């Protein structure tokens, strides 16, 4: 989907998608180029594990290892993930693996930022929310694998769970595109743990003074292909919830 658009137009596409999410998908949303986003399905239920919280800041040495992908956003804001931009997400971050949240790192946060917000959505499932977090200390340079930083507030994702819900596309739906967005905010949002993601998305957009995006791809076929490869367990993973049917 995003590979059909130049990087400079991605912010506009993201804004449209998030606006559609904010309306609760009560109606189809026009993207402005003749296409429409479909309404969400009613079978989107909780299936995956949440991220835990750490009291220590991420170790830059840890964050800088094994993070090949980099997205470049507004004003030099950059974002790195354990996959190349537009690349394949390792199955261990999904319901086909351990389901732990990926490590992320960034740079170029504007001096005016009071906090950061992170939003991960499935562009192939009408903006289904996999992770949403606000109140991230702007002095941090990233998140460790399986952990959320102290002081950050995580909202309820579209699996109806707090924290990270890894990609879980059902067989036969093809490859899904997952958009990771980091926003630099110039105001602190007054929300509590488990906040309603759809209600807060417009507030994130309104307070954003800089955004960077990164895309990852995943399909059930990639998960099947990876079953012959041994995947090491995460030392920071919380309790695992047995995955059930999921649209994403």
């Amino acid at each position: 989907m995003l590979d059909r658009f130049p990087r400079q137009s991605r912010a506009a596409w993201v804004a449209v998608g998030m606006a559609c999410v904010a309306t609760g998908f009560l109606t189809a949303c026009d993207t402005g180029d003749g296409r429409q986003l479909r309404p969400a399905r009613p079978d989107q239920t909780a299936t995956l594990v949440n991220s835990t919280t750490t009291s220590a800041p991420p170790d830059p040495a840890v964050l800088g290892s094994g993070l090949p992908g980099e997205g470049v956003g507004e004003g030099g804001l950059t974002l790195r993930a354990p996959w190349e931009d537009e690349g394949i997400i390792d199955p261990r971050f999904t319901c086909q693996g351990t389901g732990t949240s990926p490590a992320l790192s960034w740079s170029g946060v504007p001096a005016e930022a009071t906090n950061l917000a992170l939003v991960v959505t499935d562009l192939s499932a009408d903006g289904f929310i996999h992770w949403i977090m606000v109140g991230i200390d702007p002095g941090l340079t990233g998140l460790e694998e399986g952990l959320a930083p102290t002081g950050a507030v995580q909202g309820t994702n579209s699996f109806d769970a707090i924290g990270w819900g890894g990609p879980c596309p059902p067989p036969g739906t093809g490859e899904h595109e997952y958009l990771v967005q980091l926003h630099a905010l110039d105001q602190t949002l007054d929300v509590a743990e488990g906040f309603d993601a759809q209600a807060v998305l417009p507030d994130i957009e309104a307070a954003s003074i800089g955004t960077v995006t990164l895309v990852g791809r995943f399909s059930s076929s990639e998960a099947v292909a990876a079953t012959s490869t041994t995947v090491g367990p995460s030392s920071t993973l919380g309790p695992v919830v047995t995955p059930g049917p999921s649209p994403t």
Side-chain angles (χ1 to χ4, degrees):
M1 184 180 296
L2 279 183
D3 53 346
R4 299 179 183 176
F5 299 92
R7 183 177 298 278
Q8 58 267 32
S9 67
R10 183 176 296 170
W13 169 252
V14 170
V16 170
M18 294 183 71
C20 295
V21 172
T23 62
F25 301 110
L26 296 179
T27 59
C29 182
D30 190 348
T31 64
D33 61 357
R35 293 170 297 122
Q36 289 190 328
L37 299 181
R38 296 177 304 233
R41 295 181 299 278
D43 61 344
Q44 295 173 333
T45 55
T47 58
L48 300 182
V49 67
N50 300 336
S51 295
T52 55
T53 302
T54 177
S55 58
D59 181 350
V62 173
L63 292 169
S65 61
L67 302 177
E70 181 173 88
V72 180
E74 302 163 349
L77 186 61
T78 67
L79 176 65
R80 294 178 66 86
W83 57 84
E84 298 287 349
D85 189 18
E86 306 283 355
I88 302 301
I89 298 174
D90 191 314
R92 69 195 183 90
F93 299 122
T94 76
C95 68
Q96 301 295 327
T98 58
T100 188
S101 59
L104 300 171
S105 67
W106 53 77
S107 62
V109 175
E112 300 82 7
T114 62
N115 70 111
L116 306 174
L118 180 69
V119 183
V120 181
T121 56
D122 185 350
L123 294 176
S124 304
D126 302 325
F128 188 94
I129 299 171
H130 285 262
W131 204 8
I132 185 167
M133 185 190 317
V134 300
I136 302 171
D137 185 341
L140 293 180
T141 57
L143 310 176
E144 292 187 65
E145 183 175 305
L147 298 174
T150 297
V153 183
Q154 299 186 94
T156 300
N157 58 38
S158 294
F159 290 110
D160 198 27
I162 298 174
W164 165 258
C168 198
T173 62
E175 190 173 70
H176 286 221
E177 292 182 308
Y178 299 89
L179 179 67
V180 183
Q181 305 167 74
L182 181 71
H183 294 268
L185 309 183
D186 65 356
Q187 57 184 285
T188 301
L189 305 183
D190 185 15
V191 295
E193 190 80 0
F195 62 83
D196 183 345
Q198 294 183 5
V200 173
L201 282 173
D203 297 330
I204 292 176
E205 283 291 306
S208 180
I209 56 175
T211 305
V212 59
T213 64
L214 189 73
V215 169
R217 301 173 183 273
F218 187 73
S219 71
S220 56
S221 61
E222 278 135 13
V224 171
T227 56
S228 60
T229 303
T230 301
V231 178
S234 168
S235 61
T236 56
L237 183 66
V240 175
V241 178
T242 301
S246 165
T248 65

